[in-house]
Amino acid sequence: LYGQENIKKSYAMFKEGVKNYQESNFELASQKFIEAVNLNPIDYSFKENAGMSLINAGNFKKASIYLEQSLNSIDKPNNGKAEYGLGMCYKEMNQKTKSCEYLAQAMKLNYRPAFNYFSQNCNKLSNNKNWVKIIIRVTRIWFLTFNWIKWCIWFLSGLKGEALFLILKIKTRNKSNKG
């Protein structure tokens, strides 16, 4: 579809992007990854790495575009990296609720860096009604996957007293739904 020559060039650009990223030359890395996307728009990793490089270069709006494209790719693994990147982008663009929603999705996919970033940036939204819905949604997912002990420890370390109230409220609601 895109030609064998373009596919080869895209992987060469990708390789240069990785090299530049490792050397902390994020602007040049993002350019190489974007060139790879233009040559071969099917590979999600080109878009995802373009987005992550753009985040490190401080271009959050452009990064969010590539990360959104990565999420919509057919071959994208559900590893949480793009969701985490979008969470960082939206936080920097002062869209904290949207940021925390993406970070919650990244945590649901067990993307480790999202947990710390979430606890540093999202716990302060606990008075927001949408935020409480997000917490409840994440809590249900974790309870269903038997990771509730880890979640309780993590959550208590971030919210302290508020967490205990929410956990008790959720447990009470879950018991009343069963019986």
Side-chain angles (χ1 to χ4, degrees):
L1 185 64
Y2 295 102
Q4 197 171 24
E5 192 60 35
N6 281 349
I7 302 295
K8 285 180 184 177
K9 287 180 185 176
S10 71
Y11 285 100
M13 287 295 116
F14 179 78
K15 191 174 180 178
E16 287 182 44
V18 169
K19 180 180 176 267
N20 288 305
Y21 190 92
Q22 290 171 341
E23 294 170 353
S24 298
N25 190 344
F26 303 116
E27 190 65 42
L28 187 56
S30 66
Q31 290 172 11
K32 296 297 180 184
F33 291 132
I34 291 169
E35 285 180 49
V37 169
N38 292 334
L39 290 166
N40 180 6
I42 293 178
D43 194 317
Y44 85 93
S45 66
F46 299 167
K47 298 168 193 165
E48 190 174 78
N49 284 295
M52 297 309 278
S53 296
L54 287 161
I55 288 171
N56 284 298
N59 192 340
F60 303 104
K61 178 71 176 160
K62 195 171 181 180
S64 68
I65 293 167
Y66 283 97
L67 291 168
E68 287 283 355
Q69 289 176 6
S70 173
L71 282 181
N72 296 322
S73 295
I74 296 169
D75 63 337
K76 183 205 172 299
N78 287 325
N79 63 8
K81 184 177 179 180
E83 293 85 349
Y84 169 69
L86 283 164
M88 291 192 307
C89 287
Y90 288 117
K91 188 251 181 203
E92 294 300 325
M93 294 188 293
N94 294 316
Q95 296 180 36
K96 289 194 178 188
T97 301
K98 199 169 185 179
S99 169
C100 293
E101 288 171 357
Y102 274 109
L103 290 169
Q105 288 177 26
M107 291 184 340
K108 178 177 140 181
L109 296 168
N110 208 23
Y111 190 72
R112 299 269 184 227
F115 291 87
N116 189 37
Y117 199 82
F118 183 92
S119 68
Q120 291 174 356
N121 296 290
C122 296
N123 287 343
K124 296 170 184 87
L125 294 174
S126 59
N127 293 330
N128 181 324
K129 287 182 183 179
N130 288 333
W131 172 236
V132 173
K133 289 178 186 175
I134 293 167
I135 291 294
I136 290 170
R137 199 174 317 135
V138 170
T139 302
R140 285 182 183 152
I141 291 162
W142 280 49
F143 277 124
L144 291 174
T145 59
F146 303 105
N147 287 322
W148 64 275
I149 293 175
K150 284 185 195 174
W151 187 85
C152 291
I153 292 168
W154 164 80
F155 196 67
L156 287 170
S157 70
L159 286 181
K160 305 198 177 29
E162 292 178 66
L164 186 57
F165 170 75
L166 280 173
I167 290 169
L168 292 174
K169 183 176 177 181
I170 291 165
K171 279 190 172 186
T172 304
R173 185 182 297 161
N174 287 343
K175 285 180 182 178
S176 65
N177 288 343
K178 288 180 183 175

